[in-house]
Amino acid sequence: MGAESGAGAEAGGAEREDPPERAAVLARATLERAGARGQARFAAAREILAFEEYLALVARDPARHTRGAAAYLRDCMDFYGHDEVRGPRGRVRRFRLFDGPTNGGATRVLGQEELQNEVYKHLTAFVERGRVDKLIMLHGPNGTAKSTFVECLLAGLEDYSTRPEGALYRFNWIFSDAADRAALGFHERAPGRDDGSLAYLEPEEITFKLGSELKDHPLLLLPQAERVGLVEEAFAAAGLPCRLSDYLRRGDLCPKSKEIVRALSTAYKGDLRRVLTHVQVERLYVSARYRQAAAVIQPQRNVDAASRPLNLEKSYRLPAMLGQSSLSELSGELVDANRGLVEYSDFFKRPLELSKYLLTTSERGTISLADATAQLDCVFFATANEKNLAIFKRNPDFPSFKARFELVRAPYLLRWSIEEGIYAREVPAIARTKHVAPHTTRVIALWAVLTRLCRPRVKTYKGDLAGLVGKLRPLDKARLYDALQAPEEWPDAERRELQKHVEQLAGELDAAEEEFEGLVDAAYEGRRGASPREVMSFLHEAAQDPQFACLSPLAVLKTLRRETADKSLYEFLRLDPEAGYRDVDRLIDDVEGEWRRLVRDEVHGAVALVEEAAYDQLFEDYFQHVKASEAGEKLRSRITGQLEPANAELMGRVEGLVGISEKPTAFRRSLIQRVAAWAIDHPGQKVDYKAIFGDIFQALRARYHREREQAISQLQTQILRHGTDDWSTVSAADQKKVLAALERLEGRGYCRQCGKEALVYVLRHPGAD
């Protein structure tokens, strides 16, 4: 018995020892797999190369491996693709890089397609000229995503540099004690390599490793004639035109590498092949965090670039053959950014003296230091507030700087549906535990855009167009910019005429200036108005209002009226109103009216007996009969299956419900023209009748609800009794209708609290606007 117990104890002990052993095996296997994958990735990425291997890469793909910084950044923008989107100025290219493809959309720029294309245009100009000879300055009011724009570029460069298409290379100098040499750095052949290259030495075999702070392009190691000859021959073999940047065609190594080449050439009696055995070519990965080919220079009084002698550093044990060399080490954000991108944030907040070096650096691609001149290959960006730029224009140095700048405008957004995306992303965190009611972000985005719109300058237009433009209210202009939607109450001919000239309307103020608070400043549309940062603060205030259980449009409207009462708080409140434009109080009323129309439709739709699909089907049937009537064709009846003429009674009934003011034939012809125009702008897409004929659908709903206004109002009142002691007084039939209506509202994003809030509002505002 005891022996059995002992055996069992031993077995139990063995079992208790097994889990740690299995854990150790699992850990070892995990590390081995990770190590093997890491080695495979290292080899596939060509992380380390001998110089001769690198030259073979260049010969195989010269276009990829000879790009300057401007071409590389332009290729990065192209790499992620683009889409065609519609804006107030027509169809425009939008680069997907600015949708945040590298980080799940965490860093993205909404709108600003004109900005994207302007930057792309300037990059292309740099490539064609062979050098970056100007600084790209992004200027605009506060909160227009200027810095975020550059962040997107940096995020794209970081990701692109990890891919085969974006491979970049730099080099290091490698020195080693050789078995047959006593002196440091002198050797005949590298261990394990027939060609003598030290690139693949094990870490313990390396005596000294020295990199280039400028991350010089490896091709600069070749003398200029051989370098240019090799590249031109490689392009010719690939059947491509050779477009080499000035940096590679005429550039030179950094002072430190030049001195190392000189010292090694002396030691090896001019044998360049032996000099290049000390070169280890390695992949260069762009990183803003570690300032590798990417840097953001803040407006402090820092020195952007400096140099110091390396020989005086006791921590460096230089190889013997370099002992008599005068080596300098470069430092600073501008040095870190070489081969990539540098941003001067809030440029005009820097002391001007610290930026004057850019007058030559941005034009020549060099920077002069105390004991050296460094060659740069970098795209220069700067961001600036529009007001600071206007002040700087008074400075006598402005003409000199302007000649070295490419000014690219970053205005406020003028399409509320795009502006809404800014707040939709942040509003859950702002609301915290509160539910966010439907249309909350739409209401505040529409109001923000309305504050930015300018009254059209009627005198710049001719003929009937001047009259049409003069009739545009701020809300009309916002709808026109956002969805190319002309005022619904206008005749079709006027609507089409206005839509044809939207691009002219959007650009009429591009070169305008105005005097505001003693300063002559730009007056382009999108220069002034509520900034997204200010709008965010209004949303925070609305979310904290204890009067509202939800963050709702009514909470937002109340906050806007309160926060804009003191006209001294915000610049846009001090603008002079013009015919409704810049009149903030009136604009809040306009936004409330727009929301009232939306919420009334939703409440009426929730309590009505007719489903939304019924309107769709009625209009689709009507339009099919209109097309057949205009073409003189017949339609197949759904009931009999026979071909029959267009139903004049159906067409007349729908036109009666809509209440058309023109002859039926003219009205029907205009419908067909609107569909044809929509089809041109949306090739291959199914016809969206609601998008094209929103005015007609609205008229159908309004007519239906006018005919049933009493019944609808009664049911709305019954809904308000739900959850109260009066609920028991509601009939069973009405209770069923109430529950169905509440369910419909919840399906549209309302909770019980904001649903009832909307119902109460509609009951208090029953009439049409």
Side-chain angles (χ1 to χ4, degrees), residues 28 58 121 136 148 204 287 378 615 618 712:
R28 190 161 49 249
V58 174
K121 180 186 74 176
I136 299 175
T148 306
E204 62 271 15
S287 172
C378 184
Y615 299 116
L618 175 62
I712 291 172

Side-chain angles (χ1 to χ4, degrees), residues 86-92 114 409 411-415 449 452-457 460-461 465 469 472 476-484 497-512 523-527 581:
R86 187 197 56 74
R89 298 171 188 260
R91 301 197 69 80
V92 65
E114 286 81 11
R409 186 177 291 164
Y412 287 133
L413 299 182
L414 298 179
R415 295 184 63 196
V449 166
R452 302 165 187 168
L453 298 180
C454 299
R455 183 185 184 186
R457 297 186 175 182
T460 62
Y461 300 91
L465 183 60
V469 167
L472 278 178
D476 295 331
K477 197 173 187 183
R479 289 170 177 159
L480 188 66
Y481 280 178
D482 193 75
L484 204 63
E497 181 67 13
L498 181 65
Q499 289 165 340
K500 284 194 303 184
H501 293 88
V502 174
E503 189 172 347
Q504 179 183 353
L505 183 67
E508 73 168 21
L509 298 172
D510 281 353
Y524 57 85
E525 201 163 35
R527 162 65 184 93
Y581 292 88

Side-chain angles (χ1 to χ4, degrees), residues 538-658:
F538 297 153
L539 278 173
H540 278 281
E541 290 293 326
Q544 296 172 27
D545 192 328
Q547 178 185 340
F548 299 93
C550 302
L551 177 54
S552 66
L554 284 178
V556 166
L557 292 167
K558 176 187 174 185
T559 299
L560 290 178
R561 289 191 169 94
R562 182 182 68 245
E563 295 297 317
T564 59
D566 185 349
K567 305 305 180 187
S568 66
L569 289 178
Y570 302 102
E571 179 185 273
F572 71 91
L573 297 178
R574 300 193 293 274
L575 298 170
D576 294 329
E578 293 183 275
Y581 292 88
R582 296 178 171 179
D583 185 339
V584 175
D585 296 332
R586 184 169 170 180
L587 296 178
I588 295 173
D589 292 339
D590 287 345
V591 171
E592 182 175 1
E594 180 72 1
W595 174 68
R596 183 159 55 244
R597 182 180 64 81
L598 291 171
V599 73
R600 184 184 296 134
D601 284 348
E602 290 182 335
V603 169
H604 285 178
V607 302
L609 302 177
V610 176
E611 298 288 342
E612 188 72 17
Y615 299 116
D616 299 349
Q617 189 62 61
L618 175 62
F619 184 82
E620 186 172 343
D621 289 346
Y622 164 75
F623 188 73
Q624 295 302 322
H625 283 268
V626 166
K627 283 201 304 181
S629 175
E630 289 297 305
E633 298 174 348
K634 293 184 177 182
L635 289 169
R636 192 170 298 279
S637 170
R638 292 179 181 170
I639 300 173
T640 65
Q642 302 297 314
L643 289 174
E644 297 177 355
N647 190 328
E649 182 182 350
L650 170 64
M651 292 187 288
R653 180 162 60 89
V654 171
E655 288 159 1
L657 291 171
V658 173

Side-chain angles (χ1 to χ4, degrees), residues 277-292:
T277 61
H278 289 270
V279 171
Q280 179 193 68
V281 180
E282 70 171 348
R283 279 286 292 269
L284 168 60
Y285 295 106
V286 178
S287 172
R289 173 178 293 181
Y290 300 108
R291 298 201 312 193
Q292 291 290 313

